[in-house]
Amino acid sequence: MSKINWHQEADVVVIGGGLAGYSAAREASEQGAEVLLLEKQPEIGGSTTLSGGFLAFAGTDLQRAHGIDDNNALLVQDLRSAGGNENDERLLQVYAEHQLEAYAWLLKAGVEFMGVQLSSAHSVPRAHATRSPELMRLVAAYAHDTGRVRTLLNTPAERLIRPDPGAGVLGVMVKMDGQSRAIRARRGVVLAAGGFSRNAEMLRNFVPAQAAAVRYGGAGNTGDGIRMAWDLGAGFRDMGCIKGTFGYHPNARTEPGRDWTKLPVYRGAIAVNKEGRRYVDESQAYKLLGDTVLQQTDAIAFQVFDQGIMDTAADGVSPFDFRSAQRRGLLHEAESLAALADSIGVDPAALIATIQRYNGFVANGRDEDFGRDGLSNHYGKLVKIERAPFYAYPSTSGLIATYCGLTVDAEARVLNVYDSPIQGLYAAGELMGGIHGIDYMTGSALGKCVIFGR
């Protein structure tokens, strides 16, 4: 390989300005490294700022204050269960071992948790709620506080640099001011560039069944980091397991903004299709619910609930902030089920019969149609839908993140297709595979960003 003309250099180069990238940057700089963080968009945040802001921790003081008994063993059990035992056990143990450290680290960064929620695949409430834009701002500021982190915006990474197939990664080629430049990484490159929810070609290649889902996520999530490592022979994990998230409002296809996901099913709502009928056990993980809604007419369902469930809303906690959807005009509301059915274009007789049948199941303590026995993962008591006014939230499946990607070991080193480390190359966040398996537990995506980024 000819001599490389390095334009800049740093001890560590981080590609991607989301939660994983800045967690890595802070930790490396705290250990004395000079860090250069590259972000191809004009602002930081990526999919982190579009997320619901939940992080999965177990055994925290916040849980204890609410009388919630949780621990590492139960956390790992729920991760395994959600993942169909297809998870990489080494990574689950790393997550469990370091999750309370990550919680304390975020508190030190100034992050405030607004409570603990029960959500997808939890056997106890453990989704520690934050406001994701504020989370991102605080962690980025925490990284820059060391004085050893520089961020370059509008600087997309193009390729990783290594002199020959047997050598380590030396740096990265970037596009800077319209020209390709070489940046040297003296001690390693961290890939934290997110997934590929915005890359139609990669979605067609890996998960064609998700074609009907809303393609969401950070505008820069086009698979750059995965493709750069792929070029060096990196292995993949979980690529065929990608699922969208249930609860996305269909308007997310065409309108800008964030906070499109609502999940009243985990407060007791039911999901009905355009025929006015239930079609699923609503307590399942929302990734599984995302798959089943794609099989319904027009890939649309309605989460139907009553005032009693509305009263359980958690203001400011995105998936459970039903009143924000009401204020934005996204929520249908009516004084009777018949009027609600008319509003959403469903046969009133069918919807009324569905609700009556479901309420009978709640009274008898047994869901004879789909076996629902709780609000989420067998936890929580079912409630009747009977108190006016009644509500319906139109819902489809949305791909905010792809939750799969590069094979890594317990030290977050990227492995090649023969399970050998690619020297000088690390990965964290959405583009690493192995944590989730076939499905996803709420809060584990942002959780792994902090844990494996650090």
Side-chain angles (χ1 to χ4, degrees):
M1 186 176 185
S2 60
K3 178 178 172 59
I4 301 170
N5 294 317
W6 300 107
H7 183 260
Q8 294 189 42
E9 60 181 73
D11 293 320
V12 175
V13 175
V14 177
I15 301 174
L19 184 59
Y22 276 106
S23 296
R26 167 71 194 202
E27 189 67 25
S29 64
E30 203 165 10
Q31 301 298 323
E34 295 293 331
V35 180
L36 183 61
L37 187 144
L38 309 174
E39 171 54 52
K40 76 173 182 178
Q41 296 299 114
E43 58 185 20
I44 66 169
S47 291
T48 300
T49 57
L50 296 173
S51 74
F54 288 137
L55 295 102
F57 300 123
T60 66
D61 55 351
L62 195 55
Q63 284 179 305
R64 289 194 296 274
H66 288 82
I68 300 165
D69 186 15
D70 199 5
N71 55 61
N72 281 1
L74 189 57
L75 170 68
V76 171
Q77 177 181 306
D78 284 353
L79 285 165
R80 280 198 208 103
S81 178
N85 292 310
E86 295 293 330
N87 328 65
D88 185 329
E89 184 66 24
R90 300 169 302 171
L91 303 186
L92 297 188
Q93 295 305 321
V94 171
Y95 190 112
E97 180 182 348
H98 295 285
Q99 53 97 17
L100 284 178
E101 295 171 18
Y103 174 70
W105 184 83
L106 288 169
L107 291 174
K108 190 174 180 181
V111 175
E112 295 184 8
F113 294 98
M114 300 180 292
V116 185
Q117 303 290 332
L118 176 73
S119 194
S120 178
H122 292 171
S123 57
V124 298
R126 70 162 65 91
H128 290 65
T130 70
R131 292 181 174 89
S132 54
E134 181 71 359
L135 167 70
M136 190 66 250
R137 184 189 68 79
L138 288 167
V139 172
Y142 194 45
H144 283 288
D145 280 350
T146 65
R148 289 187 289 274
V149 175
R150 289 184 296 142
T151 294
L152 296 181
L153 301 175
N154 297 303
T155 308
E158 297 181 309
R159 289 182 180 273
L160 297 167
I161 300 171
R162 68 175 179 182
D164 61 66
V169 172
L170 301 182
V172 58
M173 292 297 300
V174 305
K175 184 70 74 174
M176 188 180 295
D177 299 324
Q179 298 188 26
S180 292
R181 304 289 191 187
I183 296 181
R184 182 185 177 197
R186 292 185 289 263
R187 295 169 62 182
V189 172
V190 178
L191 294 173
F196 54 95
S197 61
R198 296 283 190 171
N199 187 317
E201 181 181 2
M202 290 182 73
L203 290 173
R204 281 196 303 270
N205 284 339
F206 291 111
V207 278
Q210 296 297 325
V214 176
R215 295 174 187 174
Y216 206 58
N221 279 25
T222 54
D224 302 358
I226 291 174
R227 289 186 294 166
M228 283 188 282
W230 193 357
D231 186 45
L232 304 190
F236 290 158
R237 282 291 303 261
D238 308 331
M239 301 300 280
C241 300
I242 299 168
K243 295 175 173 62
T245 294
F246 179 68
Y248 265 71
H249 197 285
N251 286 12
R253 297 182 189 277
T254 55
E255 296 181 17
R258 61 179 301 276
D259 190 24
W260 291 106
T261 310
K262 303 299 170 191
L263 291 166
V265 288
Y266 296 138
R267 293 291 191 267
I270 62 170
V272 302
N273 55 25
K274 284 192 167 184
E275 289 69 46
R277 299 185 180 91
R278 290 178 70 217
Y279 58 90
V280 72
D281 170 2
E282 296 90 348
S283 70
Q284 290 182 359
Y286 54 59
K287 293 296 179 182
L288 299 178
L289 296 179
D291 270 1
T292 54
V293 76
L294 294 179
Q295 300 165 22
Q296 306 309 305
T297 301
D298 298 330
I300 296 291
F302 302 93
Q303 296 182 71
V304 177
F305 56 106
D306 70 353
Q307 186 60 42
I309 294 171
M310 172 63 93
D311 290 343
T312 70
D315 295 346
V317 180
S318 178
F320 305 112
D321 190 349
F322 312 142
R323 297 183 186 94
S324 69
Q326 186 179 36
R327 290 191 296 270
R328 293 167 65 192
L330 302 177
L331 198 62
H332 293 263
E333 179 178 349
E335 288 299 320
S336 70
L337 289 173
L340 185 69
D342 285 338
S343 178
I344 62 178
V346 166
D347 176 51
L351 181 62
I352 291 170
T354 294
I355 298 291
Q356 290 176 341
R357 181 172 175 82
Y358 179 76
N359 286 345
F361 294 158
V362 175
N364 295 331
R366 181 184 177 193
D367 176 1
E368 296 178 6
D369 289 340
F370 300 102
R372 184 182 190 182
D373 62 0
L375 301 181
S376 175
N377 198 20
H378 314 295
Y379 182 95
K381 185 178 180 181
L382 300 180
V383 295
K384 293 181 180 180
I385 299 170
E386 59 184 359
R387 180 179 153 207
F390 300 97
Y391 304 91
Y393 189 73
S395 300
T396 187
S397 179
L399 276 172
I400 188 173
T402 39
Y403 304 111
C404 64
L406 305 175
T407 306
V408 300
D409 64 11
E411 298 175 61
R413 298 180 297 181
V414 177
L415 306 179
N416 65 21
V417 294
Y418 299 107
D419 286 333
S420 296
I422 299 175
Q423 185 180 348
L425 187 62
Y426 304 82
E430 185 183 344
L431 54 59
M432 60 173 281
I435 281 284
H436 303 298
I438 66 170
D439 196 12
Y440 160 82
M441 185 189 79
T442 296
S444 58
L446 293 187
K448 77 174 183 180
C449 284
V450 178
I451 292 164
F452 287 92
R454 295 183 69 219

